[in-house]
Amino acid sequence: MTKKLGFLLRLLVVGLVIAETVHGAYEFSRYDFPPGFVFGAGTSAYQVEGAANEDGRTPSIMDTWAHSDSGITSGANGDIACDQYHKYKVDVQLMAEMGLDAYRFSISWSRLIPNGRGSVNPKGLQYYNNLINELISHGIEPHVTLHHFDLPQALEDEYGGWISRNIVRDFAEYADVCFKIFGDRVKYWTTFNEANIFSMAGYDLGFMPPSRCSSPFGFLNCTRGDSLLEPYLAAHNILLSHASATRLYWKKYQNIQKGYIGLNLLSFYSVPFTNKTEDVIAARRVTDFFMGWFVEPLVYGDYPEVMKNNAGSRLPSFTALESQRVKGSFDFFAVNFYSANYVKDNPESLNIEPRDYFTDMAVQWKYKQGNASSFMNRFPPSFEFPLTPWGLQGVLELFKQNYGNPPIFIYENGQRMQRNTSLEDWPRIQYLQEHISVLLDTVRNGSNAKGYFTWSLLDVFELLDGYRSGYGLYYVDLDDPELRRYPKLSAKWYSRFLKGGSITPDSSIELEGNWSSLSSAQAMR
Ligand SMILES: *[C@@H]1O[C@H](CO)[C@@H](O)[C@H](O)[C@H]1NC(C)=O
Ligand SMILES: *[C@@H]1O[C@H](CO)[C@@H](O)[C@H](O)[C@H]1NC(C)=O
Ligand SMILES: *[C@@H]1O[C@H](CO)[C@@H](O)[C@H](O)[C@H]1NC(C)=O
Ligand SMILES: *[C@@H]1O[C@H](CO)[C@@H](O)[C@H](O)[C@H]1NC(C)=O
Ligand SMILES: *[C@@H]1O[C@H](CO)[C@@H](O)[C@H](O)[C@H]1NC(C)=O
Ligand SMILES: *[C@@H]1O[C@H](CO)[C@@H](O)[C@H](O)[C@H]1NC(C)=O
């Protein structure tokens, strides 16, 4: 029996009773969350749409990066991905059957406005209209991101993208087009996905688009870039772009459209490796560099003191007018959380000259050292995130206690597993159960969290892995020309939760009922 056949046979038993014990703290259901609390799942344009060269779309910096030979994506790219561009109706049907309240996706700027600015591509416009209408007709709320690592390559080539001040005007114009066309139906806008990761991984370490870094920093031998300056510069322009788009939305659209706008960050919740005072301070410093970098300008109008001290003149400063525009320019924050990590103080780091963002942080941080190959070695396909749900609690408490308790959406949280080994993804179920349970505790303790989205709806083109790993609730059979989707056990578990089922501690999860018919219905599509 071939591996593939064995895998397909395992698909067939999924409809039967499957029971296994997953431990949780106590029994809960979605009705324990405040009314209106939203549960969803997400994807992003380049990772799911495919049709990369169809209907007038032009490349983004993600296309260029995925087609380069950096090795990060193991030779894979998103040219076809899950082909959601053609299969959005199938996917919305899956979401509706599962019971999702909301779907988080992103708009491909270069599909909507192929040159980055100027004329709108009617086919691109039609696609997002179709997707949004399909979602709404199934009662699913769209949560839309404008920039998910995918600046049009045209703007990167023309003036260097985010390291140029020109980007502020072009981003605001792109955002304006989106608000104008889609804002009658889209009520939740995010300007940037993981603005902090994009700035440091794209411009200091260089392993994410637009792959800029400079020796001796960076995981790759980048051909261009400046790790000393560009991460700070890109972040600064991103903050100014965010503020412009947000103020434009508030001024022109919010009264009529009644929506909300925010910014998304990845939260690597950091805890001290020891209880030594210097390590405790080091963990706070990581929080300032990772979160405070964007949150403090937005909440207080300026960068954290420790960043100003350690980066000196390499950190741009806000003029009084800029500070005023940036300060307060958000309706909500969004955070992506996967796992916490430990940090130790590393004071010698500040004796190094010249320094980049990471040496400025002056900690030993476990994902920092090494080159591309050793970086990849840290993420073998079988790598699963350690379960640290208390880190999610820590991040939400941080926003509550230090940043004024703004409304928060958790836009990504999920478990990485080797792709297409089994549909019985118990580690993912355990991961979701523990995080949602801790989320409930934190909401009960006064956090202003408003929603939770798991990453990801489908096994998409993954940023660190191509197609070697997946986070999906649904498996996508890449060997099938139809790219059929199959529910994993986690889809069934999540669906039961979404439909009000109780999640019980120390008890078997029995997934019975109509799932077999759902999978065979999918198999026949
Ligand atoms: C997993 O997916 C890859 C890529 O599509 C394929 O080559 C491989 O045969 C699959 N493995 C199994 C066990 O199906
Ligand atoms: C970078 O270049 C150096 C010197 O040519 C080489 O030894 C090293 O393997 C390269 N690293 C990567 C990740 O390509
Ligand atoms: C730090 O102190 C706390 C409280 O005393 C303790 O629970 C924890 O295990 C300590 N951590 C380390 C790494 O020693
Ligand atoms: C870079 O990767 C190579 C190959 O895996 C490894 O031998 C080398 O030690 C790594 N260098 C660092 C600084 O991690
Ligand atoms: C609950 O909130 C209080 C008040 O903000 C805080 O002091 C406490 O640490 C929180 N509890 C947990 C477990 O985070
Ligand atoms: C199964 O599906 C049928 C028709 O779609 C529905 O009437 C029935 O209530 C479902 N049963 C369960 C256990 O969900």
Side-chain angles (χ1 to χ4, degrees), residues 64-100:
T64 308
W65 163 81
H67 281 268
S68 73
D69 56 3
S70 68
I72 298 289
T73 64
S74 312
N77 62 58
D79 285 359
I80 299 171
C82 305
D83 199 23
Q84 190 167 81
Y85 186 72
H86 295 112
K87 298 187 184 307
Y88 68 93
K89 287 191 177 172
V90 171
D91 289 343
V92 173
Q93 187 67 33
L94 295 179
M95 296 177 216
E97 284 168 3
M98 195 173 16
L100 286 190

Side-chain angles (χ1 to χ4, degrees), residues 163-471:
I163 55 173
S164 162
R165 193 59 78 98
N166 292 346
I167 196 67
V168 179
R169 183 199 57 220
D170 285 343
F171 181 73
E173 278 179 21
Y174 159 56
D176 195 2
V177 168
C178 294
F179 302 149
K180 191 182 327 173
I181 307 176
F182 308 123
D184 56 333
R185 288 150 294 155
V186 173
K187 304 301 168 199
Y188 295 91
W189 294 103
T190 302
T191 51
F192 293 90
N193 174 66
E194 294 186 359
N196 50 354
I197 293 297
F198 180 69
S199 303
M200 67 84 167
Y203 295 88
D204 182 359
L205 303 181
F207 68 88
M208 301 275 277
S211 315
R212 295 180 67 93
C213 63
S214 60
S215 179
F217 305 107
F219 288 144
L220 307 177
N221 292 324
C222 299
T223 53
R224 65 245 129 91
D226 181 349
S227 294
L228 315 187
L229 294 173
E230 288 185 2
Y232 294 120
L233 184 57
H236 198 72
N237 289 329
I238 284 172
L239 279 163
L240 297 177
S241 302
H242 165 85
S244 288
T246 299
R247 295 197 178 276
L248 180 118
Y249 182 69
W250 285 352
K251 198 168 149 202
K252 273 177 81 173
Y253 300 103
Q254 195 173 43
N255 274 346
I256 310 153
Q257 298 182 344
K258 312 250 178 275
Y260 306 93
I261 185 163
L263 177 92
N264 174 274
L265 299 170
L266 178 76
S267 51
F268 259 83
Y269 186 69
S270 303
V271 282
F273 191 66
T274 74
N275 278 335
K276 284 193 207 138
T277 308
E278 57 267 33
D279 288 343
V280 173
I281 293 171
R284 268 187 231 141
R285 192 161 62 243
V286 169
T287 300
D288 285 340
F289 268 80
F290 250 83
M291 308 300 286
W293 191 11
F294 289 86
V295 180
E296 293 206 15
L298 287 167
V299 174
Y300 303 120
D302 202 1
Y303 293 115
E305 277 311 310
V306 69
M307 290 190 79
K308 294 201 264 186
N309 289 340
N310 292 10
S313 62
R314 287 177 290 115
L315 183 69
S317 47
F318 293 106
T319 65
L321 190 66
E322 286 169 354
S323 165
Q324 213 186 337
R325 273 178 75 72
V326 169
K327 185 176 174 179
S329 65
F330 62 91
D331 292 312
F332 63 85
F333 277 98
V335 293
N336 299 348
F337 176 81
Y338 289 96
S339 68
N341 64 294
Y342 294 88
V343 295
K344 263 176 86 65
D345 186 34
N346 183 19
E348 299 83 55
S349 188
L350 294 178
N351 300 328
I352 296 172
E353 283 296 341
R355 293 202 297 274
D356 68 340
Y357 171 82
F358 282 97
T359 35
D360 287 339
M361 211 184 291
V363 295
Q364 286 174 16
W365 185 54
K366 63 193 217 180
Y367 295 122
K368 158 64 176 135
Q369 290 90 9
N371 52 35
S373 47
S374 56
F375 176 77
M376 291 315 290
N377 292 343
R378 289 207 173 81
F379 287 93
S382 57
F383 175 92
E384 288 168 15
F385 287 112
L387 271 171
T388 59
W390 42 267
L392 178 61
Q393 178 172 37
V395 171
L396 294 173
E397 287 289 337
L398 171 76
F399 273 94
K400 188 184 89 184
Q401 296 176 31
N402 294 17
Y403 301 139
N405 206 16
I408 307 257
F409 287 100
I410 292 117
Y411 266 165
E412 290 184 21
N413 177 247
Q415 181 57 292
R416 178 183 189 266
M417 292 178 70
Q418 185 160 6
R419 196 177 166 116
N420 74 5
T421 46
S422 168
L423 293 179
E424 297 172 32
D425 54 346
W426 290 105
R428 180 168 294 110
I429 291 176
Q430 182 174 10
Y431 184 100
L432 296 178
Q433 168 157 345
E434 293 198 8
H435 284 83
I436 294 173
S437 151
V438 159
L439 174 60
L440 177 58
D441 291 341
T442 317
V443 167
R444 283 178 165 158
N445 198 40
S447 161
N448 202 6
K450 298 290 187 197
Y452 172 93
F453 291 65
T454 187
W455 182 267
S456 46
L457 176 71
L458 309 172
D459 281 343
V460 298
F461 168 68
E462 272 303 331
L463 297 185
L464 297 177
D465 299 297
Y467 300 102
R468 299 185 317 154
S469 75
Y471 296 65

